[in-house]
Amino acid sequence: MPLFTRKRMSIRSSIAQDDRIDFGVAPTSVQRIESPVTTKAYLMCAFAAFAGMLFGYDSGYISSVLAMNEFKIEYGHEVPISEDRTGFSYFTWEKSLIVSILSAGTFFGALISGALADWFGRRTTIIAGCLVFMVGVIIQVSATVIPALVVGRLIAGFGVGFVSAINILYMSEVAPRKVRGAIVSCYQFAITIGIMLASCVGYATHKRTDTGAFRIPIAVQFLWALILAGGLCLLPESPRYYVKKGRLDLAIRALSRVRGQSMDSDWLQDELAEIQANYEYEQQVGEVGWLGCFSGGITNRNSNIRKVFIGTGLQMFQQFTGINFIFYYNTTFFKQVGLNNAFLIALITTIVNVCSTPVSFYTIERYGRRPLLIYGAIAMAVCEFIIAAVWTADASSSTANYVLIVFVCFYIFFFASTWGPAAWVVIGEIFQLPIRAKGVALSTASNWFWNCIIGIIVPYIVDENHGNLGGRVFFVWGSTCAACAVFAWLFVPETKGLTLEQVDKMMEEVSAIRSSQWRVHDTFVHEMGAKDSVREDTSSSIQRQHVQPKSSYL
């Protein structure tokens, strides 16, 4: 007899006397697959979003640092005063390497993190990423030569890779379904705050005449990693990770904590039963390794490879919006095209980024993921084509400069309120439990791979002694944003308001284009057998592992 069927034959005795629940009616089960959540539990889920500070600050400080006079003097080579008034500058390949090496490290860190999260846990992997990141920061601050800076950013990148991939996974697994999009959007909000703080610190120190001008912005990163690691030590592990490991005793404790309910709550038992039922349903195909992530046909709606295609494609197109061209090179680009107060303008763009992101907290749950991705991409494309067209018509005019500043701010608004958070939300929702850690890791690695490619090529297509596109580079970003809209319309499903288990069922039954019309009609527990048998088995497993209802939480 299959394991799942055996489990369902032992449960009704513990709850059959509860006349308030009709286990034979699917709608009742549909309503009871997630526990109510307390305010404290919401705050616990939201704290994990602080990881975005790490990612955002590390991505943002380099823009200000590269434009600092003291940084050029320390790391650059001598050039004529006519080329740079400091008498120092760096080669294009050096600027490209310094910026892009972080993304290269993050790419490999994200890939490694998928296996680590399944072996050691989501929370443990994020904490390990913070420790690796701290080592990278220490190396960057300790020596003022390009090789040390490159090695330090590479090691820090590994840590960011751990954090950026697994933090999305962790938040998606612990957040309540009705606000999951908003909570994961907090991660993007934290990224924008990190970028803004990096710009503020850079603006505050760029006039210093010692190495503190760039060492202070670099060293501040250490604080964010310390706060995140310390805070995560106080948070519970993902309940779905414990289910995957067969530790239902620990799963019920963790679920009790992230939902703010007692362990003997009927709601909690029902939710755990649905998670367990979904996992065992998916386990019927056997354990899924890395190669298993690419199984199934690309035309099969619910195949692993199709979900990996959607996740990696979504993160690739997020980079193709061109946003990191702005935040990696905004200060140096604004200087290059002749704008005065480049540091101040760069700071303004980061403030716009921060103020725009909270809009998504409401819209992503009110209108859904698909509309934000489709219409956000169209709006960004319009802004970028306007910038490129005006720049091509008269690049040297003050009008072109004003248009550049104004429409870059509009463009950042549309990114921050749509593709910025929505891309992260979707990749945390579309993968089923057996491949979720690996799928999110592959998707995040895609983000960092294309992030790295953009970091490498942008100086060569923009700098005067190479491609010299200047503002015309926005023709490129406008075209890629149009492609983003097409991709989202064709492939990205609507996941608003569904549990992670329901998302899996929806993707199996309908195409992405029809996904917004899909409605919940059954649970995995009912599909696999009688619901009561799962709850009884869950209770029995917990008792066998000697867990008492009043035990302290992990």
Side-chain angles (χ1 to χ4, degrees), residues 481-549:
C481 277
C484 291
V486 174
F487 176 84
W489 182 73
L490 288 175
F491 299 110
V492 180
E494 181 54 70
T495 56
K496 176 176 71 101
L498 304 178
T499 67
L500 298 182
E501 289 69 38
Q502 289 168 349
V503 170
D504 187 49
K505 184 179 290 288
M506 176 270 293
M507 293 187 70
E508 183 176 354
E509 296 180 358
V510 299
S511 65
I513 295 174
R514 295 177 53 211
S515 59
S516 60
Q517 303 170 15
W518 187 84
R519 295 294 180 267
V520 179
H521 55 81
D522 204 351
T523 66
F524 278 98
V525 170
H526 277 82
E527 183 174 310
M528 295 293 292
K531 170 182 177 178
D532 45 350
S533 60
V534 185
R535 282 191 59 189
E536 176 67 19
D537 182 75
T538 298
S539 300
S540 299
S541 296
I542 293 171
Q543 291 170 5
R544 286 196 304 270
Q545 292 160 358
H546 308 294
V547 177
Q548 300 300 322

Side-chain angles (χ1 to χ4, degrees), residues 164 348 444:
S164 62
I348 291 172
T444 307

Side-chain angles (χ1 to χ4, degrees), residues 115-269:
L116 296 179
D118 279 343
W119 291 338
F120 304 111
R122 283 62 161 135
R123 185 185 63 167
T124 304
T125 303
I126 299 172
I127 294 172
C130 292
L131 299 178
V132 173
F133 180 82
M134 291 178 189
V135 173
V137 172
I138 292 171
I139 294 173
Q140 291 177 68
V141 173
S142 61
T144 56
V145 291
I146 286 181
L149 181 65
V150 169
V151 170
R153 280 179 62 80
L154 178 65
I155 294 174
F158 271 94
V160 173
F162 284 18
V163 174
S164 62
I166 306 308
N167 194 67
I168 292 296
L169 173 66
Y170 179 77
M171 286 192 295
S172 297
E173 290 191 341
V174 302
R177 59 176 170 144
K178 292 183 179 179
V179 294
R180 186 175 59 239
I183 286 179
V184 177
S185 294
C186 289
Y187 175 72
Q188 177 66 24
F189 184 50
I191 291 175
T192 64
I193 293 176
I195 294 173
M196 183 189 71
L197 289 178
S199 186
C200 290
V201 175
Y203 183 72
T205 65
H206 79 279
K207 291 184 179 180
R208 291 177 64 109
T209 56
D210 57 18
T211 59
F214 56 85
R215 274 180 158 151
I216 291 174
I218 295 174
V220 167
Q221 303 173 95
F222 197 93
L223 177 62
W224 313 137
L226 194 63
I227 293 174
L228 178 62
L232 281 171
C233 289
L234 304 177
L235 296 184
E237 180 56 84
S238 164
R240 287 174 169 87
Y241 166 74
Y242 285 135
V243 168
K244 182 179 175 68
K245 290 297 183 182
R247 292 302 306 272
L248 299 185
D249 58 326
L250 300 182
I252 195 70
R253 285 186 177 186
L255 193 61
S256 172
R257 195 170 179 194
V258 299
R259 295 291 182 258
Q261 301 288 324
S262 63
M263 287 191 292
D264 55 1
S265 163
D266 282 340
W267 285 93
L268 217 62
Q269 295 287 338

Side-chain angles (χ1 to χ4, degrees), residues 356-372:
S356 304
T357 302
V359 174
S360 68
F361 297 174
Y362 171 76
T363 56
I364 202 164
E365 299 297 355
R366 174 64 178 83
Y367 301 107
R369 286 63 160 154
R370 273 175 63 83
L372 263 62

Side-chain angles (χ1 to χ4, degrees), residues 19 27 183 217 242 312 315 357 381 462:
D19 296 330
I183 286 179
Y242 285 135
T312 56
Q315 291 297 306
T357 302
V462 174

